[in-house]
Amino acid sequence: MASNKIQFRSIHELKNPALNNKLAQKEFQEEIPVEDFLEDAETNGSGTSRRDFLKLLGFSTAAVTLAACEAPVIKTIPYVVKPHDIIPGIPNYYASTYFDGFDFASVLVKTREGRPIKIEPNPAAGDLGKTNARAQASVLSLYDNDKVKQPKFEGKDETFDKVDSYVIKGLEEAKAAGKRIVLLSHSFASPTFKKLFAEFKAKYPTAELVTYDAYPYAAGLDAAQEVFGTRALPVYDLKGTELVVAFQADFLGDYNGGGLESSYAAARKPGQSMLRHIQVESNMSLTGANSDERIRLKPSQVNKTLVEVYNAIVGGGSSDKTANEIAKELQTKGSKAVVFADGSKGAQVLAHLINQKLGSVAFTGKANFLKDFDKARFQEFLGWVNAGQVGVLIANNVDPIYSYYKGEDFKKSLAKVPYVIAVADKKNEMYKAAKAVIPVANWLESWGDIEPQSGVYSLMQPTIQKIYKSRQIEESLLVWKNGKNNAANNYYDYLKASASSILGATSFNKALYNGFNSSNNNTMLSYAGGNGAQAVAEVSGFKSSDLELVLYTKTAMGDGTQANNPWLQELPDPITRMSWDNYLTMSPKDAERLGIDNDLNARMQLDGSIVNLTVNGVTIKDVPVFVQPGQAEGSVGLALGYGKKNSGATADTGVNAYPLFDGSNLAVSNVKIEKTGEDHEFAGIQLQNTLMGRYEIAKEVPLADFLNVAFDDEHKGWNKPLEYHTISGALPARKIDLWDAFDDTDGPHFNMSIDLNSCTGCGSCIIACQAENNVPVVGKDEIRMSRDMYWLRIDRYYSARQKVEVYEGLKEGMAVPELYGTAFNKEGGALNHPADNPDVIFQPVMCQHCNHAPCETVCPVAATSHGKQGQNHMAYNRCIGTRYCANNCPYKVRRFNWFTYNLNDKFDFNMNNDLGRMVLNPDVVVRTRGVMEKCSLCIQMTQTTILEAKKEGRIVKDGEFQTACSKACTTGSIQFGDMNDKESEIRKLYADNRRYYLLEEIGTKPNVFYHTKVRNRVEK
């Protein structure tokens, strides 16, 4: 029963059911170019056959050996005096706070020999310690070779002394003339920073602190101020909630400042009180992809439905059928229900008022202080600039010229400001507009504190000396306030003194060690207002048009703060599976109506139409279009944060959508598109990884069946154990073996559990694996060639909502049944096309570490073998790159290393420069070309854990064994442990009725198992 739906990964599989079979027959899109180094005329004239390859294998092996002999010798310099806190080969961990103006997390920073190499969640911080993909990748941004490396004056390198003299001169002139001194900064919830600015203002009375955020949360803050009387976002907790209804709110993404993933996953634990999730939206968002019921509507219709739901609950009722059904469910659940809305201030006010009426327990009353943008004050600031009232403008790592929708006007108005100082990390537009530039210190080089929400105080400490001549804004304010060379200019001392008044009895050193502490700021929110009629009028006033645009932030890119981070640019979008791009998402029906194409070429690479996008008279040129299943007809979507010019080679990717965003309304109407006639080359991993067969891959079951039907019921069982029919009768698949089993009960035997019910597809595990295991970035061209190097991927499967008539056998050459013309409703009419509104399942796939690994039996040089602890090992120096193992792997998790990615100018990311290579983990070898590589279940981490316990004379405790992906998983979907520990969590997960194996029928006996996804809805 768990597999009564048809699963597909793209609409191309629906159009051409033989496509999967075609891909499976040719996994590698390009043969090994042996002829390139043989210099044989006859061989060069044709492709290399298997027989030719084997004949030439001896030479190939010799060539690889010779190449290895030519590897560069890099000598290291030992310590003259070794620091006491650094032991070579032993990592140090420092509690700190990740904050870059957009994202926040309380973290542990792993350092090796004085350099940060990995970001870990701080378990003491609970939900505030969860790290998303951007937090995991932020360590690479520290080693960005495109950073501004020292102070500049009039475009030339200069000293801090010269720049400070210039700034102080400007400050004194502005003070004498009565002109305003404006510090324009991103949201900065630092009590010590605000205290310091108050002292700065005491010296310069005309000084003003103005907040500017590229993605400003203005609508949410305005709504909170109206409803709660406090300008702070409300904090929610879904653990006690049984129903969530979201209107355009991507609450598993960046909505409301983020942070709901873990409580959402906890509430989604299958059972009688499992959270039910209804999503009403236009774009196929990450949150919508995880929902039980997804209602796709264009923005104007979403607004209408929200108003009708509000009327049904708070007002006098509604005649809208969909709204009444939603309202009925909300009223039934009462306080155990919650509503989220996004897109405009009015929408969020209505959501707050509905929650107040319901008495929702998800509303904690705590305040989120991380965002404090005030649009009215920013407009006031623009008025000061245009009126020539600003004498000094100090921009703290913000670039309104790029991200403000009237950026060009702002750029022109800067000519009226005599002193423009940019505290910047890149040579962006503000850098070019400023006369003096101060390089901003990375958060890993800085001292600081953050008050993220009520009752919480988090400290930031440097984990490395400043790599270049940079300075955080607080250090600059001290110099400008106290004068140059003043003994009081040490920000560490200033922070320590300030923190003491917040920490109370806790010492500063203890608080620094914890990273995450209690605060005396216990501000609580309560419902105090909210004009429902005005909100209804605002939401209803959204003008409908033929096409309506929804702007959003991507999981990897966010607001674009880390746009020059190649790990994030290459990270595939969880929904589209495309990387290195933003694009206009469009429904299949609209694409057909407008003549928009997405086609696969002969190499199975995706090409798409390019359009010019015009919204209310503003045109964005050359926008590629991606045809997205589940996109509402009449709507299109476009991600913010891309197309950053002069911010590094990697950042100049995609198109800048900020000119279409007024800072408050994410949905806009009056949208027109014009085809340019050109095509765009997408880089995606949508189709390149093919598993044997198409059924029982990502299992799902309705909640009613999960609760009421035995999983192994003979007729209706939704997870019946696989059996083989033998001469002795039916036997469980795991009991049948061609080989004699060996004793693996001595010592640990590792297994990994992955729960499809709690995996949201966020991608933090992928970046964590990349950081831990030195996985290279290959770039857009190589991704397009199907040559990604990821050791871990998250497959995204669509499945048809309606039951589809399936043939007894598959048509010859087909890997999925024909879906056209086979499904009809009770009245005899054809059902909606499966691509209109499919269900989505996310499934992390890594090496399954099979106990009977097909890769091991075919390797001619025994480069891959099985360990007693259950891990499938790779000896890279033995591997000669035959790729037999990859061809024999049914899970397609092995990667062939085509190139030497480090010290190679072809791959201008982080491994081809000395600074970028500082992020590499010395515990994991950097692989070279010609070898196969894949997940090792982080063997370096498991062995370290064993050795630490051995040194301490104890056994390893449950929970100590971890992998990079399991530590980074925000929802606890990935669990890792020792199966030989009878009391371990992994043993309990193994005994769960939802447990199953990928492709169990082929007898590989993996050490990775999955748990069936449960959907809380009544199947129709």
Side-chain angles (χ1 to χ4, degrees):
M1 291 183 65
S3 58
N4 61 359
K5 297 181 180 180
I6 302 304
Q7 293 178 345
F8 56 98
R9 289 172 301 167
S10 74
I11 58 177
H12 303 94
E13 282 188 356
L14 292 177
K15 293 179 180 179
N16 180 10
L19 179 60
N20 185 71
N21 190 53
K22 182 177 179 181
L23 288 164
Q25 294 299 319
K26 189 173 183 179
E27 177 194 358
F28 295 104
Q29 296 298 316
E30 184 171 307
E31 306 297 339
I32 295 180
V34 179
E35 61 273 13
D36 288 353
F37 56 76
L38 289 182
E39 297 183 359
D40 183 285
E42 293 182 5
T43 307
N44 282 338
S46 63
T48 305
S49 68
R50 181 176 179 272
R51 177 177 297 178
D52 292 333
F53 175 77
L54 290 174
K55 283 193 298 185
L56 301 171
L57 181 59
F59 180 87
S60 304
T61 307
V64 171
T65 305
L66 289 171
C69 293
E70 295 171 1
V73 177
I74 302 175
K75 296 181 179 179
T76 59
I77 302 174
Y79 292 113
V80 177
V81 178
K82 186 182 78 65
H84 292 292
D85 58 346
I86 294 179
I87 301 174
I90 304 298
N92 288 338
Y93 290 86
Y94 298 91
S96 191
T97 301
Y98 164 59
F99 179 73
D100 64 356
F102 185 69
D103 289 302
F104 167 90
S106 180
V107 299
L108 303 178
V109 182
K110 179 182 178 181
T111 67
R112 280 294 300 270
E113 287 74 56
R115 56 189 174 87
I117 62 169
K118 184 77 168 57
I119 306 301
E120 308 281 9
N122 185 352
D127 290 354
L128 288 174
K130 304 297 182 181
T131 55
N132 60 17
R134 298 187 294 267
Q136 287 286 333
S138 63
V139 68
L140 184 60
S141 294
L142 169 66
Y143 304 117
D144 187 345
N145 203 39
D146 292 325
K147 292 194 297 187
V148 180
K149 296 179 173 64
Q150 72 175 75
K152 305 278 185 178
F153 185 72
E154 295 183 337
K156 297 179 181 179
D157 293 347
E158 197 46 85
T159 63
F160 277 118
D161 185 73
K162 178 72 175 289
V163 171
D164 287 336
S165 295
Y166 170 77
V167 175
I168 292 171
K169 177 174 177 286
L171 294 172
E172 294 296 342
E173 286 182 9
K175 178 180 178 181
K179 287 197 170 186
R180 298 184 189 274
I181 298 165
V182 177
L183 174 55
L184 186 66
S185 175
H186 53 69
S187 293
F188 201 176
S190 167
T192 302
F193 167 74
K194 292 177 179 177
K195 175 177 180 290
L196 175 56
F197 183 80
E199 294 175 7
F200 178 80
K201 183 176 175 63
K203 178 166 185 177
Y204 301 104
T206 59
E208 301 284 353
L209 177 61
V210 178
T211 299
Y212 172 78
D213 291 324
Y215 190 85
Y217 292 90
L221 290 165
D222 289 345
Q225 190 167 37
E226 178 179 324
V227 174
F228 306 117
T230 302
R231 195 170 183 78
L233 298 174
V235 175
Y236 295 95
D237 187 336
L238 299 178
K239 290 186 181 70
T241 303
E242 295 183 9
L243 174 64
V244 57
V245 181
F247 296 86
Q248 297 283 40
D250 188 11
F251 62 81
L252 296 180
D254 298 322
Y255 170 76
N256 207 50
L260 282 171
E261 304 96 325
S262 57
S263 67
Y264 176 80
R268 295 279 285 172
K269 187 175 181 180
Q272 292 287 353
S273 59
M274 175 182 170
L275 174 69
R276 173 164 158 76
H277 175 191
I278 300 173
Q279 187 80 7
V280 187
E281 65 180 9
S282 305
N283 296 348
M284 172 70 87
S285 69
L286 186 68
T287 305
N290 282 279
S291 64
D292 297 303
E293 293 279 357
R294 182 173 178 272
I295 302 170
R296 59 190 183 96
L297 299 170
K298 62 195 298 186
S300 54
Q301 295 170 334
V302 173
N303 287 347
K304 180 177 182 298
T305 304
L306 172 60
V307 169
E308 294 299 327
V309 170
Y310 170 79
N311 288 337
I313 292 178
V314 180
S318 169
S319 59
D320 184 272
K321 180 182 177 182
T322 301
N324 277 327
E325 289 177 354
I326 294 173
K328 185 177 178 180
E329 285 201 54
L330 288 168
Q331 289 168 330
T332 300
K333 291 295 182 181
S335 63
K336 293 185 177 181
V338 66
V339 173
F340 298 132
D342 201 5
S344 65
K345 173 193 172 185
Q348 299 206 37
V349 168
L350 293 181
H352 292 320
L353 295 179
I354 292 172
N355 291 333
Q356 181 184 16
K357 181 73 173 179
L358 295 172
S360 175
V361 297
F363 174 71
T364 65
K366 294 180 181 179
N368 178 337
F369 303 121
L370 290 171
K371 311 296 178 183
D372 60 4
F373 174 80
D374 188 331
K375 189 173 182 179
R377 180 160 173 78
F378 181 69
Q379 292 297 325
E380 186 181 17
F381 155 71
L382 294 178
W384 299 339
V385 174
N386 287 319
Q389 297 175 6
V390 177
V392 179
L393 172 61
I394 304 164
N396 179 35
N397 210 25
V398 293
D399 186 6
I401 301 174
Y402 158 72
S403 56
Y404 180 51
Y405 77 112
K406 294 182 180 179
E408 286 301 315
D409 293 343
F410 177 74
K411 181 179 180 179
K412 293 174 183 176
S413 67
L414 287 179
K416 300 177 181 179
V417 181
Y419 290 83
V420 178
I421 298 95
V423 181
D425 63 343
K426 302 290 190 312
K427 298 178 181 178
N428 54 27
E429 295 299 324
M430 279 305 299
Y431 170 97
K432 293 193 292 184
K435 193 170 184 179
V437 177
I438 296 174
V440 66
N442 185 273
W443 69 277
L444 287 164
E445 302 170 316
S446 303
W447 288 102
D449 60 354
I450 300 290
E451 210 165 49
Q453 67 182 41
S454 305
V456 175
Y457 183 65
S458 189
L459 285 168
M460 178 189 297
Q461 64 174 315
T463 55
I464 189 173
Q465 290 287 344
K466 289 172 183 170
I467 297 173
Y468 292 113
K469 296 178 181 177
S470 58
R471 198 166 70 184
Q472 59 189 103
I473 185 64
E474 296 94 333
E475 292 179 291
S476 294
L477 288 177
L478 282 172
V479 172
W480 301 335
K481 176 177 77 78
N482 299 327
K484 294 186 294 183
N485 302 317
N486 192 307
N489 289 347
N490 187 313
Y491 185 62
Y492 166 74
D493 293 336
Y494 188 92
L495 173 67
K496 188 175 181 179
S498 173
S500 61
S501 62
I502 299 172
L503 293 169
T506 305
S507 70
F508 181 76
N509 286 345
K510 178 64 175 176
L512 201 61
Y513 177 84
N514 295 336
F516 184 84
N517 304 276
S518 298
S519 165
N520 53 15
N521 184 349
N522 292 309
T523 301
M524 298 295 284
L525 304 180
S526 59
Y527 295 101
N531 190 329
Q534 181 179 313
V536 167
E538 178 192 335
V539 173
S540 302
F542 182 89
K543 294 182 180 179
S544 175
S545 62
D546 179 51
L547 278 180
E548 298 167 8
L549 171 68
V550 177
L551 298 164
Y552 66 100
T553 55
K554 268 195 183 185
T555 302
M557 201 49 53
D559 69 341
T561 298
Q562 294 191 79
N564 203 47
N565 189 313
W567 285 354
L568 293 175
Q569 287 284 4
E570 188 148 299
L571 179 66
D573 181 81
I575 306 296
T576 66
R577 305 293 287 138
M578 298 291 123
S579 67
W580 289 100
D581 266 320
N582 65 336
Y583 30 74
L584 200 66
T585 55
M586 182 178 292
S587 73
K589 288 184 178 178
D590 282 336
E592 183 178 1
R593 175 172 65 90
L594 298 170
I596 301 296
D597 299 318
N598 269 186
D599 293 319
L600 292 172
N601 63 21
R603 298 182 61 87
M604 300 296 111
Q605 297 165 334
L606 186 67
D607 298 323
S609 300
I610 295 177
V611 301
N612 292 331
L613 173 68
T614 302
V615 180
N616 293 320
V618 179
T619 299
I620 307 295
K621 292 188 175 181
D622 299 328
V623 185
V625 180
F626 182 84
V627 179
Q628 173 62 58
Q631 181 82 28
E633 283 91 11
S635 72
V636 290
L638 185 60
L640 300 163
Y642 285 81
K644 294 186 79 170
K645 305 294 183 183
N646 307 306
S647 294
T650 300
D652 191 7
T653 299
V655 297
N656 181 12
Y658 276 115
L660 308 178
F661 182 37
D662 67 1
S664 297
N665 300 294
L666 291 167
V668 288
S669 55
N670 193 21
V671 176
K672 298 178 182 178
I673 64 171
E674 176 190 11
K675 288 183 66 175
T676 65
E678 301 294 326
D679 286 335
H680 178 79
E681 295 183 345
F682 285 103
I685 58 175
Q686 180 80 358
L687 290 169
Q688 66 199 61
N689 299 302
T690 55
L691 297 184
M692 290 176 58
R694 305 300 301 129
Y695 304 101
E696 304 298 323
I697 300 297
K699 289 188 178 183
E700 57 181 310
V701 61
L703 179 62
D705 289 348
F706 171 78
L707 293 174
N708 302 316
V709 178
F711 76 99
D712 56 354
D713 183 88
E714 183 178 355
H715 301 291
K716 297 183 179 182
W718 46 268
N719 193 25
K720 289 187 289 186
L722 180 66
E723 292 182 338
Y724 287 130
H725 295 282
T726 71
I727 194 169
S728 303
L731 291 175
R734 301 284 289 186
K735 298 295 184 182
I736 298 176
D737 212 331
L738 293 175
W739 294 274
D740 293 333
F742 62 87
D743 182 17
D744 60 4
T745 59
D746 180 19
H749 184 89
F750 298 118
N751 267 208
M752 177 173 281
S753 167
I754 300 174
D755 191 344
L756 302 186
N757 212 60
S758 54
C759 176
T760 63
C762 71
S764 59
C765 57
I766 297 177
I767 299 297
C769 173
Q770 191 163 20
E772 176 68 27
N773 295 297
N774 300 331
V775 176
V777 173
V778 300
K780 182 174 182 178
D781 292 341
E782 294 300 303
I783 289 285
R784 185 167 164 82
M785 293 289 288
S786 302
R787 292 176 180 169
D788 73 281
M789 294 301 298
Y790 287 121
W791 286 12
L792 162 65
R793 68 177 190 263
I794 301 180
D795 287 341
R796 184 267 299 118
Y797 289 100
Y798 297 125
S799 60
R801 280 291 303 272
Q802 68 272 9
K803 293 182 180 180
V804 179
E805 180 183 331
V806 181
Y807 300 114
E808 285 295 320
L810 298 180
K811 290 183 178 180
E812 185 178 354
M814 288 188 178
V816 292
E818 177 65 62
L819 293 184
Y820 292 108
T822 62
F824 297 89
N825 58 29
K826 293 180 180 179
E827 290 74 31
L831 291 169
N832 288 332
H833 191 280
D836 287 346
N837 193 22
D839 285 331
V840 178
I841 301 179
F842 296 107
Q843 184 175 55
V845 181
M846 67 290 289
C847 175
Q848 302 291 289
H849 294 271
C850 310
N851 289 312
H852 291 165
C855 57
E856 296 170 11
T857 57
V858 296
C859 181
V861 293
T864 182
S865 60
H866 207 71
K868 192 174 182 181
Q869 295 175 348
Q871 291 151 316
N872 177 265
H873 298 304
M874 276 297 305
Y876 297 123
N877 59 341
R878 292 185 64 88
C879 179
I880 59 174
T882 63
R883 300 190 293 184
Y884 294 166
C885 56
N887 287 324
N888 218 38
C889 175
Y891 306 101
K892 301 309 171 193
V893 290
R894 288 176 168 267
R895 298 289 175 264
F896 181 70
N897 195 311
W898 289 90
F899 297 98
T900 299
Y901 296 102
N902 61 313
L903 296 171
N904 188 340
D905 289 340
K906 177 179 172 66
F907 303 98
D908 187 14
F909 306 113
N910 68 295
M911 287 192 180
N912 76 334
N913 63 82
D914 291 336
L915 181 61
R917 283 195 298 275
M918 287 180 70
V919 81
L920 296 178
N921 182 2
D923 292 333
V924 180
V925 66
V926 177
R927 286 76 60 189
T928 189
R929 62 179 179 176
V931 303
M932 299 299 304
E933 57 182 82
K934 51 103 200 160
C935 161
S936 67
L937 282 184
C938 290
I939 190 169
Q940 71 281 0
M941 295 176 66
T942 57
Q943 293 309 301
T944 298
T945 302
I946 292 170
L947 291 173
E948 286 295 322
K950 186 176 181 180
K951 286 192 296 183
E952 295 171 11
R954 60 175 179 83
I955 62 172
V956 178
K957 301 174 184 176
D958 185 38
E960 284 190 88
F961 284 123
Q962 292 282 1
T963 61
C965 56
S966 66
K967 288 185 79 171
C969 183
T970 58
T971 62
S973 171
I974 303 176
Q975 296 289 328
F976 181 74
D978 176 14
M979 285 291 288
N980 288 337
D981 180 355
K982 299 296 192 293
E983 302 301 319
S984 66
E985 182 66 21
I986 199 76
R987 284 292 291 256
K988 296 174 185 176
L989 292 168
Y990 180 84
D992 194 289
N993 293 339
R994 291 192 292 131
R995 187 236 330 142
Y996 76 97
Y997 291 94
L998 277 185
L999 306 179
E1000 186 178 15
E1001 64 274 13
I1002 63 177
T1004 56
K1005 297 193 175 180
N1007 282 316
V1008 177
F1009 56 87
Y1010 292 81
H1011 285 80
T1012 303
K1013 184 177 182 67
V1014 180
R1015 293 195 187 275
N1016 189 355
R1017 68 172 179 228
V1018 177
E1019 295 290 348
K1020 299 178 182 177

